[in-house]
């Protein structure tokens, strides 16, 4: 009962991994750093590509909503540019013309009513979120 009078300890040495013969430590470190940089670059490019695809999908949804709306219609979520989602809520289409539309929006902070004019970029031009 209780602990035995003698106990044996087992000791194991922890040996760091060793590179195969002929490969120097600087080569291993260089390969590791290079691999990390490659993964970082691929991740960044992938993020930029996803951002571009999101903007294009957003623009297509805006064009579809733009073509189907008329003055007096309730504004759909697609008529709110992505840059304004956090600040405004679209309520009503006030007017529509050949180059864009005016939407009545309400600020999320304070609930103030504002009219925002959105221009549709020319056909064939690249879509970006620059304000004009």
């Amino acid at each position: 009962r209780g602990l035995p009078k003698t106990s044996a300890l087992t000791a194991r040495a922890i040996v760091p991994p060793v590179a195969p013969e002929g490969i120097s430590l600087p080569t291993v470190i260089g390969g590791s750093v290079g691999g990390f940089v490659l993964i970082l670059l691929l991740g960044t490019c992938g993020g930029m590509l996803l951002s571009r695809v999101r903007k294009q999908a957003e623009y297509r949804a805006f064009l579809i909503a733009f073509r189907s709306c008329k003055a007096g219609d309730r504004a759909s979520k697609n008529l709110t540019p992505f840059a304004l989602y956090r600040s405004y809520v679209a309520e009503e289409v006030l007017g529509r013309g050949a180059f864009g539309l005016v939407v009545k929006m309400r600020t999320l902070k304070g609930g103030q009513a504002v009219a925002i004019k959105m221009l549709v970029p020319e056909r064939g031009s690249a879509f970006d979120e620059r304000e004009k």
Side-chain angles (χ1 to χ4, degrees):
R1 295 182 194 172
L3 294 174
K5 294 197 187 252
T6 61
S7 61
L9 286 177
T10 306
R12 217 173 5 154
I14 300 173
V15 180
V18 179
E21 288 186 34
I23 298 177
S24 66
L25 185 60
T27 303
V28 172
I29 292 172
S32 299
V33 170
F36 175 75
V37 169
L38 178 66
I39 290 171
L40 188 65
L41 285 173
L42 290 175
T44 302
C45 292
M48 291 170 56
L49 179 63
L50 287 175
S51 174
R52 184 81 168 169
V53 167
R54 179 189 52 92
K55 283 182 184 179
Q56 288 175 350
E58 204 177 279
Y59 179 63
R60 272 187 244 116
F62 172 76
L63 282 180
I64 291 168
F66 170 74
R67 289 181 185 132
S68 64
C69 72
K70 59 184 186 296
D73 284 352
R74 184 175 179 165
S76 72
K77 177 183 171 186
N78 293 331
L79 288 176
T80 305
F82 185 75
L84 301 178
Y85 279 156
R86 292 186 175 138
S87 304
Y88 299 94
V89 174
E91 291 185 347
E92 178 185 358
V93 177
L94 298 176
R96 179 176 171 234
F99 295 103
L101 63 126
V102 178
V103 179
K104 177 183 174 185
M105 294 189 175
R106 206 162 281 286
T107 59
L108 293 176
K109 294 181 181 179
Q112 180 183 6
V114 296
I116 296 181
K117 182 176 185 177
M118 292 175 276
L119 300 176
V120 177
E122 295 178 30
R123 289 187 178 170
S125 68
F127 175 69
D128 59 349
E129 295 178 348
R130 285 184 282 184
E131 293 184 26
K132 295 183 180 196

